[in-house]
Amino acid sequence: MESSAQRPYLMSFGTGGLFINESVAVARQHLAGADWDATLVAAQESGAFPVRKASSARRSIREIVNRLKQLSPDELALFIEGDRSEQAALLWLAACRAYRFIGEFAVEVLSDRFLSLRTDLTYDDFDTFLSAKEEWSPKLAALSPSTRAKLRAVLFRLMREAEVLSQDNRILGAMLSPRVVAVIHNGNPEELRYFPGAERQSGRT
């Protein structure tokens, strides 16, 4: 996994959920080798994100593009033609890459708790993790209480939609398809740690 110690914490994931359907629509508009900025413009012009407020649509499409451009060409191709579970897994991978905070939470909280058989997850776990990180990041320390609450709620929604957390907030062992395991393994096997228990699958691909 790429060292992220020097990367800033981008907390713009609070715009919404995993956006599976919308992300597929945007990904299909992206031409191989094309500039993602061009894809962003095309997606906005085509109404890929059907909401009433144009500003909300622009913000959401920006976040979708920010996530999708984290995927390799092989991962993006699998995302477009894969089944919904594969699409959810690849969007979770993209989110972990795009947002340092989510990637670290996935490894340091989800995977560690799953391996130690403590699969219950609460809002307090998020608060504790954020408090630890804000000691080293003035940006995180400056977040308002309302922003913290929104980010916490959105992250839990993302985890449920990515199928790494159950509806009753239990950490779920990864059930990645062989194709998803293979494409991650071919890129950076350590990124399987974003998925609780997935490293054990890598030897069976």
Side-chain angles (χ1 to χ4, degrees):
M1 197 155 22
E2 175 189 352
S3 174
S4 63
Q6 303 306 315
R7 286 197 295 126
Y9 285 105
L10 300 177
M11 306 302 282
S12 52
F13 61 86
T15 54
L18 211 55
F19 296 135
I20 296 179
N21 294 337
E22 297 86 353
S23 296
V24 172
V26 172
R28 285 179 174 151
Q29 293 194 24
H30 183 70
L31 301 176
D35 185 88
W36 275 105
D37 288 338
T39 302
L40 174 63
V41 173
Q44 290 175 343
E45 290 178 347
S46 69
F49 202 93
V51 295
R52 272 181 277 181
K53 285 185 65 176
S55 59
S56 297
R58 283 195 300 271
R59 189 164 55 248
S60 298
I61 290 173
R62 257 199 317 272
E63 291 310 311
I64 287 170
V65 168
N66 183 44
R67 299 172 192 182
L68 289 177
K69 68 182 182 182
Q70 309 297 324
L71 299 177
S72 71
D74 286 345
E75 291 164 348
L76 194 62
L78 176 56
F79 173 71
I80 291 171
E81 65 95 12
D83 63 32
R84 192 166 183 84
S85 182
E86 290 173 323
Q87 290 169 340
L90 288 168
L91 281 181
W92 176 249
L93 173 67
C96 288
R97 289 173 178 169
Y99 310 107
R100 176 184 170 189
F101 185 88
I102 293 180
E104 291 178 354
F105 189 88
V107 173
E108 299 172 26
V109 179
L110 295 183
S111 287
D112 280 2
R113 288 181 71 91
F114 183 78
L115 290 174
S116 61
L117 305 180
R118 293 176 297 131
T119 59
D120 58 302
L121 192 72
T122 69
Y123 275 7
D124 285 344
D125 295 313
F126 175 95
D127 294 340
T128 299
F129 182 77
L130 179 57
S131 295
K133 294 297 178 182
E134 69 184 17
E135 291 186 25
W136 309 98
S137 170
K139 179 176 182 177
L140 294 183
L143 293 174
S144 69
S146 61
T147 297
R148 291 164 185 260
K150 181 178 181 182
L151 291 171
R152 183 176 59 197
V154 170
L155 181 54
F156 270 69
R157 175 181 171 184
L158 283 169
M159 291 187 291
R160 293 187 192 105
E161 292 179 354
E163 301 173 2
V164 295
L165 192 69
S166 70
Q167 293 301 315
D168 61 349
N169 296 336
R170 296 279 173 178
I171 300 168
L172 300 173
M175 298 292 289
L176 301 177
S177 76
R179 295 194 298 179
V180 170
V181 174
V183 78
I184 296 175
H185 198 270
N186 289 341
N188 185 348
E190 288 191 26
E191 290 186 318
L192 286 168
R193 295 171 65 202
Y194 293 144
F195 302 87
E199 288 172 289
R200 67 192 177 195
Q201 287 189 257
S202 62
R204 301 203 300 265
T205 57

